Amino acid sequence: MIEVKDLAFSYGKDKQALRGLNFTVEDGEIFGFLGPNGSGKSTTQKILTGILKGHKGKVWLFGQDISVMHTQEFFQKIGVLFEFPYLYANLSAVDNLKYFSSFYPKAQLRDVDELLEKLEFKKDFLKKPVSSYSKGMRQRVSMARALISNPKLLFLDEPTSGLDPSGAVLFRKIIEEERRKGTTVFLTTHNMLDADLLCDRVAFIANGEIAALDTPKNLKEQNSNQHVLITYLYQGKREEKTIGTSELEMGIPFLHDGIVSIHSQEPTLEDIFIRYTGRGLG
């Protein structure tokens, strides 16, 4: 679906944003592109979506060189959720979506009302102007805008930003449903929980370079210290002990009356990101 080879981009003589990126995104994959502010992830997404031109290297989408495919047909195949909602503030959610729908063939479109209901948009605000919406409500309309055309390739930039926990769970469910339909998802985010729960693979980018690329599971296993923390009861007291996983092969190697819990000591994705890049996600 996406193939990137030696991708480089500069905003000026001394502003090198991308330094030879190489990666692929398979059909039907949720691919996480993670990095701190200024790392190059937004620049990459702008190039992939045809917003930013003048890059070096090669980028293929749908099997075609992106430099020659900025056509109406191309833009009708993709859906984009921008980090900052791009909506007409004086129009309602319904009117915004009807306007954006006008750029696509009717046979390709989803029903506006059904989509907003699926996104649990408040019915009382359907015909009120966007200027009266909370950030979470605007995010729902923006997601509806990205999905309205049944895109084959979906670009999501901070999709759960501004949402409460239940809203974030809903969005993750909808993203997984899109993947099951065969939609490919390119996800840029600071939210490591979203990446861990959703992504088949993740790429860590820092200073315009990819520092690591693998499945979340493999990255955590490869960077684990191979220890577990055991909480147990012994002679009426609650105790804790950390041991190597190899010691567990022959059973619990110490006296105990009962096991309360066993927790692996594998790092989080954010721990791994900092280990590879030396920078946090903020």
Side-chain angles (χ1 to χ4, degrees):
M1 179 61 74
I2 300 175
E3 184 176 355
V4 174
K5 185 175 182 180
D6 299 324
L7 178 61
F9 185 85
S10 177
Y11 287 103
K13 185 176 180 181
D14 300 318
K15 295 182 179 179
Q16 189 75 23
L18 302 177
R19 305 171 186 272
L21 303 188
N22 292 280
F23 64 88
T24 60
V25 180
E26 303 299 328
D27 289 357
E29 180 178 24
I30 300 179
F31 185 84
F33 203 64
L34 316 177
N37 294 330
S39 62
K41 66 180 187 299
S42 293
T43 298
T44 302
Q45 178 162 292
K46 288 177 182 177
I47 292 172
L48 296 179
T49 54
I51 296 174
L52 193 59
K53 301 179 181 180
H55 63 274
K56 296 180 180 179
K58 292 293 184 180
V59 178
W60 292 272
L61 274 74
F62 306 105
Q64 299 181 26
D65 190 327
I66 195 172
S67 63
V68 296
M69 63 178 299
H70 291 154
T71 62
Q72 184 177 11
E73 182 182 358
F74 165 71
F75 289 109
Q76 288 176 346
K77 291 180 180 179
I78 69 172
V80 183
L81 171 65
F82 298 97
E83 179 179 4
F84 302 104
Y86 179 67
L87 302 166
Y88 290 100
N90 60 321
L91 297 180
S92 68
V94 172
D95 288 338
N96 262 280
L97 293 176
K98 286 183 177 179
Y99 171 72
F100 290 120
S101 295
S102 67
F103 297 106
Y104 302 94
K106 289 185 177 180
Q108 187 178 329
L109 296 173
R110 299 174 69 164
D111 182 82
V112 169
D113 293 328
E114 289 180 2
L115 188 53
L116 287 173
E117 184 176 358
K118 185 180 186 68
L119 287 160
E120 297 182 358
F121 188 82
K122 294 180 180 179
K123 293 183 179 180
D124 293 345
F125 284 82
L126 284 173
K127 295 187 178 181
K128 292 183 180 180
V130 166
S131 58
S132 66
Y133 297 174
S134 66
K135 185 176 181 180
M137 292 170 66
R138 294 185 187 208
Q139 195 74 348
R140 283 172 162 81
V141 182
S142 294
M143 177 62 95
R145 178 192 170 184
L147 297 175
I148 193 72
S149 62
N150 277 309
K152 295 180 179 179
L153 176 56
L154 188 58
F155 291 93
L156 302 178
D157 194 356
E158 304 293 349
T160 59
S161 175
L163 299 175
D164 58 24
S166 63
V169 170
L170 173 65
F171 267 43
R172 287 195 288 266
K173 178 182 176 182
I174 289 173
I175 293 168
E176 289 176 341
E177 287 177 355
E178 288 300 308
R179 188 258 294 278
R180 286 195 292 272
K181 286 167 48 180
T183 307
T184 303
V185 181
F186 188 89
L187 173 69
T188 56
T189 184
H190 286 96
N191 190 319
M192 281 298 191
L193 179 61
D194 285 348
D196 202 357
L197 293 176
L198 286 171
C199 295
D200 299 296
R201 292 184 300 146
V202 296
F204 293 152
I205 181 172
N207 300 317
E209 299 178 325
I210 292 179
L213 197 165
D214 210 330
T215 67
K217 180 181 178 181
N218 285 346
L219 286 170
K220 287 187 286 188
E221 288 181 353
Q222 292 165 8
N223 290 274
S224 173
N225 62 12
Q226 303 298 314
H227 283 74
V228 296
L229 174 66
I230 300 177
T231 303
Y232 61 98
L233 300 175
Y234 182 59
Q235 295 183 346
K237 294 183 179 180
R238 186 186 182 101
E239 306 283 354
E240 289 186 342
K241 190 181 291 288
T242 299
I243 64 172
T245 53
S246 59
E247 296 180 69
L248 285 175
E249 293 180 3
M250 302 300 293
I252 305 297
F254 51 80
L255 295 174
H256 61 280
D257 298 322
I259 299 298
V260 177
S261 63
I262 299 178
H263 294 287
S264 66
Q265 297 294 286
E266 67 183 21
T268 65
L269 274 183
E270 187 157 7
D271 292 333
I272 297 167
F273 182 89
I274 294 171
R275 189 174 299 175
Y276 276 104
T277 68
R279 298 177 61 186
L281 283 169

